[in-house]
Amino acid sequence: IAKWVAQGLYLESNRDECTVSLIYTVHLKKPGSVSFDYQYVDNSIFFEFFIQNDQCQEMDQDSNKKWIKLTTHGEWGTHIVNLNSGTNILYWRTTRVTLGSKAVKPVVLKNIRIEGVAYTSECFPCKPGTFSRAPGSSSCEPCPRDTYSGRGASSCTPCNSKTHFASEGSATCKSRPPCSEKDYIQTYSTCDKDGKTQVIYKWVEPQICLEAAAGAVTLPPSGQREPCPPCNPGFYNNDTATCSPCPPGTYSDGVKACKPCPAGTEPVLGYEYKWWNVLPANMKTSCFNVANNNCDGLNGWEAAGNHVQSGAGRSDNDYLILTLTVPGFKLPVSVRGVSGSEYGRVTFEFETSCSSDCEFYFMADVNRRSTNVIESWDGIKTKQSYTHIITENSSVAFTWAFQRTSQASDVRQYVNDMVKIYSVTVTNAMDGVASACRACALQSQQAGSSCVPCPAGHYIDKETNHCQECPPNTVLSGHLIYGKEACQPCGPGSKSNKEHSVCFSDCSFTYTGRVRTLLYDFSALTSAGSIMNGPSFTAKGTKYYHLFNISLCGAEGHKAAVCRDNVTNLPNEDAGGGQQGSSVEAFLCQSTIIPSDGRGLRTALSSQSISLADTFQGATVEKSLNGITARPELFPSASKRIPDIHFFYRSSQVTTSCQRGRNAVVSLRCNPEKTAKGDISVPSECPAGTCDGCTFHFLWESSSACPRCSAVDYHAIEGACKAGVQDTVFVWTEPRLCTGGLTIPLKRTSPCEAIDFWLKVGAGLAVFCAILLISLTCYFWKKNKKLEFKYSKLVMSANKECELPVADSCAIMEGEGDENEEEEVVYANKSSLLAKLKAVATKVKEQKQLVKVFF
């Protein structure tokens, strides 16, 4: 059954996804107030406090009073609300939405105080484990360690310390168990005057085990004395057991003495802690437990030579805390004119070794506003490195917190579970030391010239040490501006701003294909687009949505997509009286939305806002860019005539699951049926927008994603010639896959001649030619007949007399041929008209030659 659970000195909320309310009804004789202390560290829980009257009507409250603010690990928050006279029904309600497999951190309440009630009519006895020192006490105190008490006690009874022990607030004493390997820890002694250290073993405090009991282990002897590790970079050893920071303007690798930076260079300030004989001066360690004060004053972390490790604490559910305070950041002189959002970086290398549900947190508190969890890890983690980029020049307190288990127990079971941090590096720290020097820009070539800042977008020339502007469409890679190679080219389809600090898209794109060049204008998509996919459901049935905000082009590198929390990170007033709202600004960001009907809530909740991508990589029709791969196959296929344009983005912050950071791809697809703003969708196979948790895919279909229209996108249609006038109209080629650009030409009218007149002329000429051809054919055919007849008679006469006739008897007299027209002549097979004409011409020529012979 999901419910709030009493844990002795505090109340703990449920650990599942059920919505559970803690209700308390009180009648006030006069206006008063209610206050309570709380621990609220898990932003997957929505924690609200509200008040109703006896008519079950909710009292007026602003959001700052209703929704409880997050606290950091190891800190208590206090919430105070005014109450009206009469009946007040107080509600503490928690709702949890689990989007991962992390162990839940329940809400913890204690010290609920109500003012304005009537005087009590009776006194209540103290419960076992507590006592009251004098009659009329307003509250009962818990019994100290190694003491106990029964119900209604006025004092606590000591336990037999030789055989028994008791935790704070105990009702009985428990027998001391035999000592085991879990009851001692290994640590290192501080360096002595000879520069030596050694491994030592000591019992976990407070020691509850018996060394003399049967089967007990003894404490191992201390190790051999060894040379102390060297100083950390930027420090030096002046023949003492301690390390001192190098003076300003000098540097050291931690082994050699400090040296001044050469001419033309400046020190690289920061912290580089990799040797841990003692904790650095700007690091503090502490121990905290929600339920008691047993570990207050203990060291939560111990230096161990080449690493610093979590300490033993008093119980397994203690928070072991290590804090590094940075007063601010100071950029090197040469890059102070460089624009950009990075002021420094913190990098640490760590590993965890756990046998239970341990968790390791990395947190940051900027300007003492509130501590936020940057990243967390649970279970066993191999040796790995994590980097966080600082984007605000403010004082920051970085905190590492380790908890072996969230379950409270009087018996130590996981004392050997620990986390080790091998190195911590912070760049550009204001009070940092230098481990090296870097080249700087010089004011002149004269000896002794001082370093000067380069203007935005300029690098330091290696030959002259003067500032030179980066080439067009290149950006400076962070704060490394030495040499022209520091200017990195922007990706395809992008350009740099004037300061050469970021690459961005101006919402225009050009694609040259095999047949034509396509010009795109995405200016209609400049405002941030949104998509809310879902609904999805948690394992316990809570309905939620993912809201994605997308800024396709940004505004010259300024990220325009904003995701805001309206619950777990409420605005805090800063020192100037302004409001520090909780929001995430990026090219792509995501919020988790729980609708008002999700858990019976009265308003929709927006929480867990994260940045998915804050750097534009480029735009191209290719499917891959800088290691990021688009997957158009996740979306329904489109026309092959117009290719999709892929916009690639990357996040500068790495996460535990994505060592290279999150990526995002927005594919623009031409769809004339959509509006100019269009619609955004996620793959149906990956409803959360990502299939692997690291790369997010979006499809933006819009008419604005079509190329600009050109002359090849329309064609002309000519009308009939009527009354000497002809109309020509222009229409778009269907389907129309373009937008904007050229406008279609208006109807064109031009003079023309009627086609009927020329048709008649052509028909007349054709008829005349046909008649002429037929006439010529008949004439030559008839002529050929006559010549063939004459030739036949001549041949026959020659064959009979075996000699040629005399010339005067061979001639054919006029009219003679007509008399013999009826004589039969044998002809050859029929031939084509052209062959016959050729044959007639040939025979006529032969007969003419033969006739000439006779004459």
Side-chain angles (χ1 to χ4, degrees), residues 495-566:
K495 59 196 306 184
S496 65
N497 58 356
K498 296 180 180 178
E499 295 79 14
H500 296 273
S501 59
V502 293
C503 296
F504 70 97
S505 170
D506 59 359
C507 277
S508 63
F509 184 78
T510 302
Y511 169 65
T512 303
R514 297 179 179 179
V515 180
R516 57 180 292 198
T517 297
L518 302 178
L519 302 177
Y520 293 84
D521 181 9
F522 305 128
S523 57
L525 308 178
T526 52
S527 58
S530 299
I531 172 177
M532 183 182 291
N533 71 317
S536 301
F537 297 88
T538 65
K540 293 291 185 177
T542 301
K543 181 168 66 173
Y544 68 93
Y545 297 84
H546 277 143
L547 173 64
F548 299 96
N549 288 332
I550 302 174
S551 175
L552 185 70
C553 305
E556 291 198 2
H558 299 290
K559 303 170 281 290
V562 179
C563 294
R564 290 185 172 88
D565 287 355
N566 66 352

Side-chain angles (χ1 to χ4, degrees), residues 450-486:
S450 60
C451 295
V452 295
C454 283
H458 288 63
Y459 67 95
I460 302 175
D461 186 84
K462 290 183 177 181
E463 297 181 356
T464 63
N465 271 27
H466 285 177
C467 300
Q468 298 290 338
E469 185 176 3
C470 283
N473 295 330
T474 62
V475 293
L476 285 172
S477 55
H479 294 147
L480 303 176
I481 66 170
Y482 189 64
K484 191 175 181 179
E485 59 272 13

Side-chain angles (χ1 to χ4, degrees), residues 561-613:
V562 179
C563 294
R564 290 185 172 88
D565 287 355
N566 66 352
V567 180
T568 56
N569 281 323
L570 295 172
N572 296 320
E573 292 188 2
D574 59 14
Q579 294 291 322
Q580 296 289 343
S582 174
S583 62
V584 174
E585 184 177 351
F587 279 100
L588 290 95
C589 60
Q590 170 191 295
S591 296
T592 300
I593 307 296
I594 298 181
S596 57
D597 60 346
R599 284 292 187 189
L601 304 172
R602 289 172 295 279
T603 182
L605 307 181
S606 173
S607 184
Q608 304 178 26
S609 297
I610 59 173
S611 170
L612 300 181

Side-chain angles (χ1 to χ4, degrees), residues 366-442:
V366 180
N367 281 340
R368 301 184 64 85
R369 289 200 294 263
S370 64
T371 302
N372 296 317
V373 176
I374 304 300
E375 190 59 82
S376 64
W377 301 264
D378 53 8
I380 298 175
K381 298 299 177 185
T382 58
K383 193 173 182 180
Q384 57 188 271
S385 178
Y386 179 81
T387 299
H388 174 67
I389 298 176
I390 297 96
T391 58
E392 184 177 352
N393 190 6
S394 306
S395 63
V396 183
F398 298 107
T399 300
W400 294 266
F402 179 69
Q403 187 182 41
R404 291 182 172 89
T405 179
S406 59
Q407 305 295 329
S409 175
D410 291 334
V411 180
R412 301 298 301 273
Q413 301 180 25
Y414 311 110
V415 69
N416 291 325
D417 291 1
M418 67 176 62
V419 57
K420 296 179 180 180
I421 296 180
Y422 291 93
S423 64
V424 176
T425 303
V426 181
T427 62
N428 301 330
M430 181 179 295
D431 61 344
V433 293
S435 60
C437 299
R438 60 183 288 172
C440 66
L442 299 179

